[in-house]
Amino acid sequence: MKIFDGQFPRELEDEAIYIMREVAAQFERPAILFSGGKDSITLVRLAQKAFYPGKIPFPLLHVDTGHNFPETIAFRDRLAEELGLELIVRYVQDAIDQKKVQEESGKYASRNALQTVTLLDAIEELKFDACLGGARRDEEKARAKERIFSVRDDFGQWDSKKQRPELFDMLNGRINVGENVRVFPISNWTEIDVWNYIREEGLEIPSIYYAHERDIFERDGMIWPDSPFINKSDNEAVSKKVVRFRTVGDMTCTAAVESEAKHIDRVIEEILSATISERGARIDDKRSEAAMEKRKNNGYF
């Protein structure tokens, strides 16, 4: 495999396409977890190539917290319509109304962790036996522990100590009744690989990835998007800044970064010179040292 030289290493695309075809061969009811972010957009492109000239054989599943960026939701709906894909949306608000989860309160209230119950309900309701996600090993240490085929038990839980070995390209999709598998076709990619792929493929992405003027406020050294979904203190003043988002969660868990990058080449330049990690702007990862692993143990994405 080529060492990074500014071009996307196409061997990674071959691997991801192979994984997607294995999913189609080994499972009866797979779905693509689609948030409208750059990684899940990449998955859709890979699925197009994997099954061309046929149609992508998997529906898209989005767990909507109700606090998402409107730009991302509009992009999600448009992409699904343009590609003729089945888009299934399940809402965290429904789980709150049914009293399956309790809305958080306080200045750090977020629905991010509440998504797990809605996701697991959707998997059970729709009988999905495999869910393809855009997680990558370089994002966060808990994600680095997961295998490409990551088995979840019949409660949707993940145990990092009970993972199957994956030798060479042998992917074992055999599961017991009630179990399901999370599949990560771009697990071996880096953030820069994703951006180079988006550039080379000419993929459209939501506008919030590029620099734009936005109402923001600052808290704990981070730039928060102003939103009616975030509980602000009286001393947290809203101002305008030119920012962009490096990852896309919902508005309560995703901080912005100051940026002048209005096109993809400038974005890549910024990332290459960045001194903080991609997840460094994720407010949800800062709740504890093991925040992501705890969420994954409970069935998170």
Side-chain angles (χ1 to χ4, degrees):
M1 184 175 295
K2 291 185 296 185
I3 302 298
F4 171 72
D5 60 0
Q7 302 294 315
F8 173 75
R10 288 286 160 175
E11 294 88 342
L12 291 176
E13 181 187 63
D14 295 341
E15 179 189 56
I17 288 173
Y18 166 77
I19 292 167
M20 288 192 164
R21 289 172 176 168
E22 281 295 299
V23 170
Q26 295 193 38
F27 296 94
E28 295 182 0
R29 178 72 173 150
I32 295 176
L33 301 176
F34 187 78
S35 66
K38 67 183 189 308
D39 300 308
S40 55
I41 292 168
T42 297
L43 286 189
V44 170
R45 179 60 160 183
L46 290 165
Q48 283 183 292
K49 291 194 173 187
F51 303 106
Y52 181 83
K55 188 177 176 181
I56 296 174
F58 314 138
L60 307 181
L61 172 63
H62 183 217
V63 175
D64 190 337
T65 67
H67 294 173
N68 295 95
F69 291 89
E71 299 96 325
T72 307
I73 295 300
F75 180 92
R76 176 200 70 184
D77 294 345
R78 183 163 51 83
L79 181 73
E81 183 177 358
E82 287 177 356
L83 298 183
L85 299 176
E86 180 185 5
L87 172 63
I88 300 169
V89 182
R90 291 294 180 268
Y91 298 92
V92 171
Q93 183 64 52
D94 291 340
I96 295 172
D97 293 343
Q98 296 164 14
K99 301 189 184 308
K100 292 182 175 179
V101 295
Q102 184 174 358
E103 187 96 73
E104 294 182 353
S105 59
K107 65 188 290 188
Y108 295 101
S110 171
R111 290 183 172 181
N112 189 47
L114 307 186
Q115 295 178 89
T116 299
V117 170
T118 304
L119 172 63
L120 296 181
D121 283 353
I123 289 172
E124 183 175 359
E125 172 201 347
L126 300 163
K127 310 299 182 190
F128 290 134
D129 51 3
C131 291
L132 297 96
R136 309 185 320 270
R137 290 195 172 107
D138 76 320
E139 285 182 86
E140 200 276 339
K141 55 191 175 186
R143 288 186 165 171
K145 295 180 180 179
E146 282 210 90
R147 302 286 163 77
I148 291 173
F149 275 18
S150 184
V151 178
R152 307 300 174 102
D153 67 18
D154 52 357
F155 294 101
Q157 296 173 329
W158 174 67
D159 187 341
S160 62
K161 303 179 186 63
K162 294 182 179 177
Q163 297 196 86
R164 296 170 176 172
E166 290 180 341
L167 304 177
F168 308 103
D169 60 353
M170 293 184 289
L171 300 171
N172 179 1
R174 284 181 291 184
I175 53 176
N176 297 314
V177 175
E179 293 178 337
N180 59 85
V181 172
R182 306 290 170 79
V183 181
F184 303 108
I186 62 170
S187 184
N188 291 328
W189 297 32
T190 67
E191 182 187 13
I192 284 296
D193 291 330
V194 172
W195 280 108
N196 279 325
Y197 191 70
I198 290 170
R199 176 172 59 182
E200 291 184 17
E201 294 291 316
L203 302 183
E204 187 180 354
I205 54 177
S207 59
I208 62 172
Y209 279 115
Y210 297 117
H212 59 286
E213 186 176 73
R214 195 175 199 94
D215 288 338
I216 59 92
F217 66 99
E218 299 192 32
R219 177 188 291 173
D220 302 332
M222 305 182 82
I223 302 172
W224 294 55
D226 184 38
S227 160
F229 310 126
I230 300 173
N231 300 322
K232 295 192 293 294
S233 306
D234 292 339
N235 62 352
E236 292 177 319
V238 175
S239 62
K240 290 186 182 295
K241 271 191 176 178
V242 177
V243 300
R244 71 176 190 86
F245 294 89
R246 196 164 162 186
T247 69
V248 171
D250 80 9
M251 300 183 78
T252 66
C253 68
T254 309
V257 295
E258 289 190 72
S259 173
E260 297 295 332
K262 295 185 177 179
H263 55 80
I264 194 164
D265 290 337
R266 188 72 184 96
V267 168
I268 291 173
E269 289 175 16
E270 279 193 357
I271 293 170
L272 289 172
S273 61
T275 56
I276 63 169
S277 70
E278 180 181 8
R279 300 288 298 195
R282 287 300 292 261
I283 298 158
D284 46 334
D285 287 352
K286 298 186 181 303
R287 292 194 169 200
S288 75
E289 181 69 18
M292 174 67 84
E293 184 155 343
K294 288 179 180 177
R295 292 200 301 272
K296 292 181 83 67
N297 289 342
N298 292 329
Y300 190 72
F301 301 98

